Amino acid sequence: MRQRPARHCWPAALAGLLLAGLVVAPGLALADTANPDPQARAAAVRLSGSVLRIEAVSPRGGYALGSGVMVGPDLVVTNCHVTRDSAQVSVVRGGVRWRASAQLADVTHDLCLLQVPGVVAPVVPLAEADVLIGQPVTALGYTGGVDLQHSFGEVVDLHRLGDGSVLQTSNGFNSGASGGGLFDREGRLMGVLTFRLRGAEQHYFAAPAQWVRKLVVQAASAGLQAVQPLDPALLPYWQQQGAQQPRFLRASVLLREQRWGDLAGLARGWLQDDALDGEPWYLLGLALLQLDQPGAARAAMDCALRLQPQRRAALAPPVPATEPATARLAATVACPGAA
C-alpha cells in the first residue's frame, strides 16, 4: 500500500519527555524571542514582578530550582515536580527570600499551591475566556534558577484532559522555567509552564488556568498542609506509562513512528469515549490520509473543523476531496451533527 509522507508529526518519543524543572543543571536558556506587539512586550515587563524563583531542598540535601506565579495573597503556584521531594521550599524575588509554610498538592495535574506568609509580589488575574488555537501568548520563567526571561509564541493545540485542556504552545522554555507563567496579551494567567517534548519544536505544554483556579478555591475551603515530600508513587499525568498515559501523548509516539493503523485505532477508541472532542477526529483524518483513504480522511477532518473551527490553519494543504465529505468513515462513531 502506498504511504504518503507525514505532514504532521510530533518528532519526539514520549520516552524523551524532559522535566522542565531543574535539578542542578545551569545554563539552559528560555528563549527571549522578538515580538513586534508592544502590548505583549509591555505585559511581559509588568508581569516580571509576579513570577518568582522557587528553591526546594530535600531532607537528604538535594536542591531543585523552578519558577512560581503569584495567584493570590500569600499564594504562589508552581509545579509539584519542582517541590515534590522537598521538606523546605522558599520563594525568592529580587534577592529577598520567603519560606513557604504550607502547600496544597494536585499531583495528578502537577500543580502545587504554596502558602508564603508575607511575600511581596503583585497578584496576577486568572484568564476567564476560552483559549484559542493561534492565540498569542507570553511565557515567563527562570532559567537555571538565575535569570527571569520571556518567550513570545502562540497556542498551537489544545488537548482536553478531564475538566480542562492542556495548552501546547510554541513558546520555548527549558530547565528552571517549570512553574512559570503563560500569559495573554492583557497579562492574565492562561497556564503554568509544565513540560516539553525533547528535540521537538512547538511542543511545550502548560497546565490551564482552570486547574489553578480550582486549587485556589480548594485551599480557601479545605486549607493547606505542611510542606513535606510527596508520595513518590503519585505521578502527574504526563509521567504516566502505558494505558495510563493521556491519549494525546500516546498519539505523539504513533505519529513519530508513522504507525498509521495504530493511530487510527487509538483515535477510534478515543472517539468511543468522547466523540465531541475535535482532536481524535483530526488524528483519525491524518491516519486515514496516510492509509490512502482520502474520502474518509476528509470526512474526519470536516468533523474536526465542525467541533474546533480554529484547527483549519493546521489543514493546509487541504485533504483531497476525491469522495463526498460525508463519506462513510471506517469507524463505529458518527460525527456529531453530520448529515
Side-chain angles (χ1 to χ4, degrees), residues 70-95:
M70 195 78 180
V71 293
D74 294 344
L75 294 177
V76 176
V77 69
T78 188
N79 288 139
C80 291
H81 74 253
V82 173
T83 63
R84 62 174 304 129
D85 297 325
S86 305
Q88 178 178 323
V89 178
S90 297
V91 172
V92 182
R93 180 193 178 202

